[in-house]
Amino acid sequence: MKANKIIETLKNYEAGKPIELVVREFGIAPEDVVKLASNENPKGTNPAVLKAIIDSAHKAHLYPDDSMYALKEALAKRYAVEPNEIIIGAGSDQVLDFIARAFLNEQSSVLMSQVTFAMYEIYAKQLGAKIIRTPSYQHRVDEFIEAYQLHHPKIVYICTPNNPTGDAISKADVLKIIEAVDEETLVVVDGAYMEYASAKDDRFSIAPKDLMIYPNVIYLGTFSKAYALGGMRIGYGIAPHALIQTLSKVRPPFNITTLSMVAAVEALKDQDFVHDSIALHSQEIERYEAFARDHGINYIDSYTNFITYILRDGQSSTQIANRLLEKGVIIRDLASYGMNALRITVGTPIQNDIFFRKYLEVAH
Amino acid sequence: MKANKIIETLKNYEAGKPIELVVREFGIAPEDVVKLASNENPKGTNPAVLKAIIDSAHKAHLYPDDSMYALKEALAKRYAVEPNEIIIGAGSDQVLDFIARAFLNEQSSVLMSQVTFAMYEIYAKQLGAKIIRTPSYQHRVDEFIEAYQLHHPKIVYICTPNNPTGDAISKADVLKIIEAVDEETLVVVDGAYMEYASAKDDRFSIAPKDLMIYPNVIYLGTFSKAYALGGMRIGYGIAPHALIQTLSKVRPPFNITTLSMVAAVEALKDQDFVHDSIALHSQEIERYEAFARDHGINYIDSYTNFITYILRDGQSSTQIANRLLEKGVIIRDLASYGMNALRITVGTPIQNDIFFRKYLEVAH
């Protein structure tokens, strides 16, 4: 039975290894496994959200409100947009899928930076689109504009702050790219880690509202990081209504769970939790920077909740990541992104202590 | 900004109206709304599953194990198959999406019965495939084989029991269709309501194992109905490993939530709950049959957790459904499926009492 030709060319997303796998494969007790691989919020689930989930858990048998009324109202209020300018996905990830399906085909190309979120490529390739990358892992305005003019891609992906590198591009530079692109090209501004960048440096802060004058720009946000709901699979796209309407054509019904909706609405109410998450992060990431300096490791200045260590020649990111894994510390090896680098989620103080100790044990 | 040509031709799934909408639009108190429109399990969430969700709710910030190890092990054990013969979707619905993406394109056609689950058409049309329907709403072997021989569709969808009509096709007849089809055609046997059919009549009972000798057949099941987890969005496909591997290429990472995984594993352990759900249903559906006979309404003999009333000429399903809605009773009008009929989820004894009373008030 022949599948579509494109299928055999596809590769799967390489997920961070789950704690359960390390427990099974290396016989390490779950409580001794430290997972710093998926940029989850080390503060854990927000207690107010936890309560809301528990209070609604008896509704697990009921389909969610597919109009997502309550969540769209809450997001609209928070971001000063209209509910009909919002689309909800199972993670902002799924909004990327809607975008690819609505706009890409075998004649399209898409533009992104050299090293960026893997799902842009994965979804674009499912539609048969050609992938074009700028030379730098950073989002450089000149490189984006040059590549745009050369290839006229259907979509330009701007991931700011960028995952898995942690760097960001300023709002002024994002606007320069948008202004250089004509309206037949969709610009995706993926702000999955924006809360961290906004707190660090105002020049890097982009709000959905800033982009609403452009009919061809969509802003993506997520509840997985600063809102600590990675396991609930919920994110959103914000754009002018006509664009949202187009994307809604490919949204499957009931694409988030009843409890995810409750959790997201509750999470939005508690901005103190977000601030506290960022405060904890800011304090702990300084330790990663100091550790790197003390041990001669290069790192990328991070605008996210993780830090990327760039290893020197003679060290192997894959070897170090594997050795750490055997010791129960899960981080992300960036070898498959073409970098001899490690991406480490900044964890709790105790998790970070363990990382520093084990890192020194394995990286000689 | 031009979207793909296919996009403008797409229509969206018509979801059952949520309780919240009736509350908002008609000012009816939530406790007075009776929703019998989405085939949710009237027993509510299984208490053992509820406890498992509550106990795991603090993990909402953690991504799920993307290998879905625990759930695949549990399903494999239950259905006597291998874990690598299983794919998990956000509802069996999402597995239908994987199937369409992997196998359909603008040159394909797909075959289904005249009236059947709406998502077959919706996903197939997203890929540009042509929709072919048999003349009858029932799955008739001769009609399927004739249409197959005429059109050589890439996919044949068999929904048994069938939604939204409630009838079923016997295992012997399903096998006849499968045997008539060559291996270049994928046969999807969608058993979303199979637990109800199996309990009613053994001849209509199909297990995934029964189909595993065919490389071109996939069985779909769900946790949304008999397992009472509609809000958690979790279902599965079971097929030979090669087919599962192909579909896995288009599965996005983390496509179910952390709590959905926990809930499904727990739900599988408690077969008593499933039996009790079916026992309650069997008792209550007899009341719907008696009510129909008493009031001269035709109905389709149901193998599901809902019943379909076929209205007589001069009555309008849309009018009756709207009038019931104004009284806080939500059922499904099948006018958009080309039937002057109503699909009613069999509810709790109290909900059913309310339905009978209100129905008589509006259907004169």
Side-chain angles (χ1 to χ4, degrees):
Chain A
M1 200 174 31
K2 269 205 212 85
N4 285 331
K5 254 181 278 167
I6 206 85
I7 297 295
E8 38 198 85
T9 70
L10 301 178
K11 58 176 188 183
N12 283 90
Y13 178 76
E14 182 194 359
K17 292 192 170 52
I19 290 173
E20 297 85 341
L21 182 138
V22 178
V23 171
R24 289 193 306 270
E25 285 196 4
F26 300 103
I28 300 171
E31 59 276 18
D32 294 334
V33 177
V34 173
K35 186 186 173 203
L36 299 173
S38 297
N39 305 337
E40 293 150 336
N41 191 323
K43 272 185 69 71
T45 304
N46 178 346
V49 173
L50 178 59
K51 184 177 180 304
I53 294 172
I54 289 172
D55 289 349
S56 292
H58 66 283
K59 292 186 183 169
H61 66 301
L62 298 175
Y63 286 92
D65 170 7
D66 196 47
S67 75
M68 308 197 190
Y69 181 85
L71 179 54
K72 286 184 185 172
E73 286 286 324
L75 280 167
K77 204 173 144 194
R78 165 125 197 98
Y79 291 117
V81 299
E82 296 299 319
N84 70 12
E85 294 169 332
I86 300 170
I87 188 165
I88 307 296
S92 48
D93 205 282
Q94 194 184 33
V95 184
L96 290 168
D97 180 28
F98 301 158
I99 290 168
R101 291 210 219 191
F103 291 101
L104 299 181
N105 57 52
E106 292 179 14
Q107 280 73 53
S108 329
S109 64
V110 298
L111 174 62
M112 63 191 75
S113 78
Q114 184 61 232
V115 178
T116 192
F117 187 43
M119 295 310 297
Y120 306 151
E121 172 170 351
I122 290 173
Y123 288 129
K125 277 198 172 164
Q126 284 185 14
L127 278 295
K130 191 179 157 198
I131 313 298
I132 296 157
R133 293 177 182 276
T134 63
S136 303
Y137 73 74
Q138 301 93 334
H139 289 62
R140 298 211 186 283
V141 175
D142 53 342
E143 292 181 5
F144 267 82
I145 293 177
E146 194 182 323
Y148 166 75
Q149 287 170 346
L150 197 62
H151 301 282
H152 286 281
K154 186 71 189 179
I155 300 180
V156 175
Y157 294 98
I158 300 177
C159 187
T160 186
N162 195 20
N163 175 16
T165 52
D167 61 305
I169 172 172
S170 71
K171 179 171 149 184
D173 280 351
V174 169
L175 294 177
K176 274 184 209 162
I177 297 173
I178 291 172
E179 293 285 353
V181 158
D182 86 20
E183 290 188 6
E184 264 311 307
T185 293
L186 174 64
V187 181
V188 176
V189 178
D190 181 351
Y193 297 88
M194 185 58 74
E195 290 84 358
Y196 298 92
S198 295
K200 178 167 173 160
D201 186 336
D202 195 48
R203 290 168 303 170
F204 293 80
S205 179
I206 301 170
K209 189 75 183 165
D210 301 334
L211 309 173
M212 291 297 283
I213 57 163
Y214 303 104
N216 60 325
V217 178
I218 185 166
Y219 178 91
L220 305 189
T222 185
F223 287 92
S224 297
K225 309 300 172 186
Y227 290 94
L229 288 173
M232 300 305 279
R233 314 307 301 120
I234 183 155
Y236 51 88
I238 301 182
H241 179 55
L243 177 49
I244 294 299
Q245 248 182 328
T246 299
L247 297 177
S248 299
K249 291 276 190 179
V250 291
R251 183 186 67 82
F254 311 123
N255 61 317
I256 64 164
T257 79
T258 298
L259 300 184
S260 304
M261 190 105 69
V262 167
V265 169
E266 194 63 31
L268 272 181
K269 290 182 196 161
D270 188 2
Q271 293 299 319
D272 286 348
F273 177 86
V274 174
H275 296 149
D276 293 350
S277 296
I278 293 168
L280 170 66
H281 169 74
S282 304
Q283 167 195 313
E284 289 298 307
I285 198 168
E286 286 183 16
R287 299 178 61 206
Y288 277 87
E289 292 166 351
F291 180 84
R293 282 189 301 267
D294 291 349
H295 298 283
I297 306 164
N298 286 319
Y299 66 88
I300 299 172
D301 187 30
S302 172
Y303 291 77
T304 61
N305 69 348
F306 59 83
I307 191 163
T308 298
Y309 280 2
I310 298 180
L311 304 184
R312 61 171 186 272
D313 291 349
Q315 284 190 311
S316 153
S317 63
T318 304
Q319 195 175 61
I320 292 176
N322 285 341
R323 284 183 186 159
L324 282 169
L325 194 64
E326 288 167 24
K327 290 176 177 283
V329 176
I330 319 176
I331 58 169
R332 190 70 73 91
D333 172 22
L334 299 187
S336 65
Y337 291 82
M339 292 177 85
N340 185 24
L342 299 168
R343 190 192 72 180
I344 309 129
T345 306
V346 175
T348 62
I350 291 170
Q351 289 176 320
N352 300 332
D353 288 342
I354 295 172
F355 170 80
F356 296 136
R357 198 174 64 241
K358 305 260 180 183
Y359 184 87
L360 292 178
E361 288 172 23
V362 305
H364 17 232
Chain B
M1 201 174 30
K2 269 204 211 85
N4 284 330
K5 254 181 277 166
I6 207 87
I7 298 294
E8 40 200 81
T9 70
L10 301 177
K11 58 177 186 181
N12 283 89
Y13 179 76
E14 181 193 1
K17 291 191 172 52
I19 290 172
E20 296 85 342
L21 183 138
V22 178
V23 171
R24 286 194 307 271
E25 285 195 5
F26 300 103
I28 299 170
E31 60 274 18
D32 293 335
V33 177
V34 173
K35 185 185 172 202
L36 299 173
S38 298
N39 304 335
E40 292 150 335
N41 191 321
K43 273 185 69 69
T45 304
N46 179 345
V49 173
L50 178 60
K51 184 176 181 306
I53 294 173
I54 289 172
D55 289 349
S56 292
H58 66 284
K59 292 186 186 169
H61 66 302
L62 299 175
Y63 285 91
D65 171 5
D66 196 49
S67 76
M68 307 198 189
Y69 182 85
L71 179 55
K72 287 185 185 172
E73 286 287 323
L75 280 167
K77 204 174 147 194
R78 165 123 198 102
Y79 291 117
V81 299
E82 296 299 319
N84 69 13
E85 294 169 332
I86 300 171
I87 189 165
I88 307 294
S92 49
D93 203 284
Q94 194 184 32
V95 185
L96 290 168
D97 180 27
F98 302 157
I99 290 168
R101 291 210 219 190
F103 290 102
L104 299 181
N105 57 52
E106 292 180 13
Q107 280 74 53
S108 327
S109 64
V110 298
L111 175 61
M112 62 191 76
S113 80
Q114 184 61 231
V115 178
T116 192
F117 186 43
M119 295 310 298
Y120 307 150
E121 172 171 347
I122 289 173
Y123 288 129
K125 278 199 171 163
Q126 284 186 13
L127 278 296
K130 190 180 160 195
I131 313 299
I132 297 157
R133 294 177 182 278
T134 62
S136 304
Y137 73 75
Q138 301 94 334
H139 288 64
R140 297 211 188 282
V141 174
D142 53 343
E143 292 180 5
F144 266 82
I145 293 177
E146 195 182 319
Y148 166 76
Q149 288 170 345
L150 197 62
H151 300 282
H152 286 281
K154 186 70 190 179
I155 301 180
V156 176
Y157 295 98
I158 300 178
C159 188
T160 185
N162 195 19
N163 175 16
T165 53
D167 61 306
I169 171 172
S170 72
K171 179 171 151 181
D173 281 350
V174 169
L175 294 177
K176 274 184 209 161
I177 295 174
I178 291 172
E179 294 285 352
V181 158
D182 86 21
E183 291 189 6
E184 266 310 306
T185 293
L186 174 65
V187 181
V188 176
V189 178
D190 181 351
Y193 297 88
M194 186 57 75
E195 290 85 357
Y196 299 92
S198 294
K200 177 166 174 160
D201 186 336
D202 195 49
R203 289 169 302 170
F204 292 81
S205 180
I206 301 169
K209 191 77 184 162
D210 300 334
L211 308 173
M212 290 297 282
I213 57 163
Y214 303 104
N216 60 327
V217 178
I218 185 165
Y219 178 90
L220 306 189
T222 186
F223 287 92
S224 297
K225 309 300 172 189
Y227 290 95
L229 287 172
M232 301 305 279
R233 313 308 301 122
I234 185 155
Y236 51 88
I238 300 181
H241 179 55
L243 178 48
I244 294 298
Q245 250 182 326
T246 299
L247 297 178
S248 299
K249 291 276 190 178
V250 291
R251 183 185 68 81
F254 311 123
N255 60 319
I256 64 165
T257 78
T258 298
L259 300 184
S260 303
M261 190 104 71
V262 168
V265 169
E266 194 63 32
L268 272 181
K269 290 181 195 162
D270 188 2
Q271 293 298 319
D272 286 348
F273 177 86
V274 174
H275 297 150
D276 293 350
S277 296
I278 292 168
L280 169 67
H281 168 76
S282 305
Q283 166 196 313
E284 290 297 308
I285 199 169
E286 287 182 16
R287 298 179 61 207
Y288 276 88
E289 293 166 351
F291 181 84
R293 284 189 301 268
D294 291 349
H295 299 282
I297 305 164
N298 286 321
Y299 65 90
I300 300 171
D301 187 28
S302 173
Y303 292 76
T304 61
N305 69 348
F306 59 83
I307 191 163
T308 298
Y309 280 1
I310 297 179
L311 303 185
R312 62 172 186 271
D313 291 349
Q315 282 189 312
S316 153
S317 62
T318 304
Q319 194 174 64
I320 291 176
N322 285 341
R323 284 183 185 159
L324 282 169
L325 193 64
E326 289 166 23
K327 290 177 177 282
V329 176
I330 319 176
I331 59 168
R332 190 69 73 94
D333 172 24
L334 298 188
S336 65
Y337 291 82
M339 292 178 84
N340 185 23
L342 299 168
R343 190 193 72 180
I344 308 130
T345 306
V346 176
T348 62
I350 291 170
Q351 289 176 321
N352 299 332
D353 287 343
I354 295 172
F355 170 80
F356 297 136
R357 197 174 67 239
K358 305 260 180 181
Y359 185 88
L360 293 179
E361 286 173 23
V362 304
H364 17 231

